[in-house]
């Protein structure tokens, strides 16, 4: 099920925003070359919100214990984060970012 999450320009290049739908939090990323990605909104370690973290070099750094994930694949990059993030398909239509949350 595709849902409209935000406008393309709501996310700065090399940054992240949070988005909530139906009680579920998501994180939406824009890479430096304007590709969009979406992951679960909470860290798999202790559920910190990732949209408050730091984006750099294709990774999101959790603000609580500085665990890192690859935001394109969801892959946990090492302790303290050991469980990968769920990722969601993204498409852009008419300047709107859609997530497939099926
Ligand atoms: S809550 Fe994210 S690294 Fe601990």
């Amino acid at each position: 099920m595709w849902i409209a999450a935000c406008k393309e320009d709501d996310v700065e290049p090399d940054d992240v925003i949070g988005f909530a739908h139906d009680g579920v939090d998501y994180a939406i990323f824009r890479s430096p070359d304007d590709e969009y990605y979406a992951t679960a909104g909470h860290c798999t370690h202790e559920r910190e919100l990732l949209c408050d973290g730091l984006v750099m070099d294709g990774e999101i750094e959790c603000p609580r214990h500085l665990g890192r994930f690859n935001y394109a694949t969801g892959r946990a990059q090492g302790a303290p984060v050991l469980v990968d993030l769920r990722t969601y398909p993204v498409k852009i239509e008419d300047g709107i970012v859609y997530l497939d949350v099926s």
Side-chain angles (χ1 to χ4, degrees):
M1 178 180 62
W2 290 98
I3 54 171
C6 62
K7 295 187 215 148
E8 278 180 291
D9 291 346
D10 289 341
V11 195
E12 297 289 326
D14 212 16
D15 205 356
V16 60
I17 63 168
F19 168 68
H21 176 77
D22 239 357
V24 181
D25 288 300
Y26 303 89
I28 301 170
F29 299 87
R30 179 174 173 179
S31 71
D33 55 355
D34 296 327
E35 296 292 331
Y36 289 78
Y37 301 92
T39 70
H42 292 272
C43 182
T44 58
H45 182 226
E46 290 185 3
R47 290 193 53 77
E48 186 68 36
L49 269 177
L50 291 172
C51 60
D52 296 329
L54 189 64
V55 175
M56 58 185 154
D57 298 332
E59 296 180 351
I60 173 71
E61 183 181 75
C62 176
R64 190 176 309 180
H65 307 111
L66 311 184
R68 289 182 177 196
F69 301 88
N70 179 306
Y71 62 71
T73 65
R75 187 110 190 223
Q77 301 296 295
V81 292
L82 303 174
V83 177
D84 295 347
L85 283 176
R86 183 170 174 186
T87 60
Y88 298 88
V90 173
K91 68 177 180 182
I92 311 290
E93 279 181 9
D94 297 329
I96 304 293
V97 180
Y98 291 86
L99 312 187
D100 182 358
V101 299
S102 308

